Amino acid sequence: MPNAQKGKIVLRLAPYPSGPLHIGNAKTYVLNALYAEKYSGKLLFIMDDTIGSEEKSIAPDAYKLIPDGFKWLNVEWDGKIIYKSERLAIYYKYADELIKKGAVYICECPAEKLRECRAKGIECEHRRQSAKETLEKWKLMIKGKFKEGQAILRLKTSMQHPNPAFRDRVLFRVSERSHPRVGKKYNVWPMLEFSWAIDDVLLGVTHVIRGKDLMMETEMCKFIWNIFGWPAPTILHTGLVRLKGVKLSKSKAQREVKSGAYSGWDDPRTWSLQSLARRGILPHAVREFIADIGLNDNDVEIPVENLYAINRKLLDPAAHRYSFVTAPIEIEVNSAPKIKEIKVKLHPEKEDEFKKIKVGNSFYISKKDFAALKGKEVRLMHLYNIMLDKFADFTSQENKEIPRINWVPVDFSVKAEVLMPDGVVVAGFAEKNCEKLKVGSIIQFERFGFVRLDKKAKGKLGFVFAHN
Ligand SMILES: [Zn+2]
């Protein structure tokens, strides 16, 4: 990393609290954390809780969910969490200085006119305001004399800047909405980029790793640092990462959690870190997945299977194997050898860990297996071979090359449900041994996939699917 000296760098985590961290936005935070660790630097946690907007509003739950997500990821920050909503006086102070320098003005143009002037590169009459006039209007603004949309504090970047969006950008605006932490104490709020420009310097941040989507904001910060004559932190932009196979919509998640259509912020469809934890994805897998992407300039599309592959590599050596049958139908086996109980290895490579399965002559098998293999000879895994039918005949015990199917003894079964990543619940029966598992155990259902035991109720177990 450029300009990085061991023990001397300061990075920051600066999440906007509109919801928990999720697999999409965790990347830049983890990269900042990984570099802080690598260079034995400091890592600050700055909650970017400015007022936001109607479309990007604060979710009060996020104040807890975000730190919990960092803790889960083993991302350790230094000191206490710093809240932007407690720093308004500081932002106002630097706004005053910009006013005195004649670098800003209060613009009262209606939104439409502002847009038009920007598009055409025309300066509005407010730009010619004297510093004294700006200061007077600014004071009125702080006092609440302007309604939302009636006045904004704009920075004189240039109305002829090649990028229309950069033309005299907004630094402060009026918001009459209530803030979850400070209520209606303030009615003038800074834009995030202004708060970054001030805080990154005041808090001694030396390096910022952020997405390429914030390049214009970086330009804005540089513009402001220039006015104050402050040295600029090193800013590194990473390419954007799209996760193939993940439908991520934070606003949809927020809506569905609120409406109750999702079970909560740990519903798999939110893709929050909480939901990954609930599925049995290990924090180490998420860190490794992000470290593999690394500091990359290019936009990339990465299949979520890569995350699963890392997680599988971590789980596979130890996860115990159990039997689970979905969409079950019952079969009965005739003339089978009298076997009361079998001993089966809990893991194919572990010679000393066993479970016992009580065997009768009635079994649940999946409808799918039944439909595909009816009338053929199949092996009931770990048990014996049968000619598959509703009333099946035992054939032999020889372990030969024939299709193998899962089964759960009817008299040694427990109802089980598996919540899938798309929100669908798959119901069936698991072997009764699963009743002894603790909530939080991550196991593999043979020929189904890795699952985490999420809840235990009387006579019914609830699992969440990780991946196959
Ligand atoms: Zn104007």
Side-chain angles (χ1 to χ4, degrees), residues 68-81:
D68 285 352
F70 283 137
K71 283 179 205 156
W72 180 73
L73 278 175
N74 296 313
V75 165
E76 284 178 34
W77 62 89
D78 292 275
K80 285 189 180 153
I81 301 174

Side-chain angles (χ1 to χ4, degrees), residues 13 18 20 109 117 121 137 139 149 158 174 177 180 212 225 235 252 267 278 296 316 335 355 369 374 389 401 440:
L13 309 162
S18 59
C109 291
C117 287
K137 288 197 172 180
K139 280 182 182 157
S158 157
V174 176
R177 287 181 304 120
K212 257 182 174 175
W225 293 330
I235 300 192
K252 186 178 182 204
D267 188 292
R278 192 173 167 213
N296 199 326
D316 199 45
S335 57
K355 61 182 178 181
D369 284 341
K374 190 184 169 201
D389 215 323
E401 287 299 314

Side-chain angles (χ1 to χ4, degrees), residues 105-110 113-114 117 123-127 152 154:
Y105 59 100
I106 302 274
C107 172
E108 292 171 66
C109 291
K113 190 182 167 197
L114 191 142
C117 287
E123 299 176 0
C124 71
E125 67 269 26
H126 305 110
R127 204 183 205 266
I152 46 178
R154 293 175 75 178

Side-chain angles (χ1 to χ4, degrees), residues 41-183:
K42 250 181 150 176
L43 184 65
L44 306 179
F45 185 166
I46 308 168
M47 193 69 89
D48 263 356
D49 63 338
T50 54
I51 192 77
S53 58
E54 217 48 79
E55 309 79 58
K56 196 185 178 188
S57 61
I58 295 175
D61 297 356
Y63 283 107
K64 186 172 185 302
L65 291 166
I66 291 174
D68 285 352
F70 283 137
K71 283 179 205 156
W72 180 73
L73 278 175
N74 296 313
V75 165
E76 284 178 34
W77 62 89
D78 292 275
K80 285 189 180 153
I81 301 174
I82 297 160
Y83 296 91
K84 291 243 149 114
S85 54
E86 289 174 3
R87 296 173 66 79
L88 272 284
I90 298 168
Y91 305 135
Y92 288 173
K93 182 184 156 216
Y94 287 95
D96 282 350
E97 289 202 18
L98 288 177
I99 294 168
K100 282 176 202 152
K101 287 175 189 286
V104 290
Y105 59 100
I106 302 274
C107 172
E108 292 171 66
C109 291
E112 210 168 295
K113 190 182 167 197
L114 191 142
R115 249 196 313 274
E116 203 188 310
C117 287
R118 260 206 185 128
K120 293 183 178 161
I122 306 168
E123 299 176 0
C124 71
E125 67 269 26
H126 305 110
R127 204 183 205 266
R128 293 188 295 272
Q129 235 162 45
S130 68
K132 192 173 157 253
E133 215 179 326
T134 308
L135 193 63
E136 278 165 14
K137 288 197 172 180
W138 171 248
K139 280 182 182 157
L140 291 176
M141 204 169 148
I142 304 275
K143 274 189 188 151
K145 300 287 187 224
F146 291 102
K147 298 262 166 263
E148 213 162 305
Q150 285 181 341
I152 46 178
L153 187 74
R154 293 175 75 178
L155 181 65
K156 291 180 191 166
T157 46
S158 157
M159 281 308 279
Q160 286 79 44
H161 193 278
N163 181 355
F166 200 75
R167 293 174 185 165
D168 286 13
R169 277 176 81 82
V170 182
L171 296 188
F172 283 84
R173 58 198 167 80
V174 176
S175 174
E176 289 158 311
R177 287 181 304 120
S178 179
H179 186 281
R181 290 186 86 244
V182 294

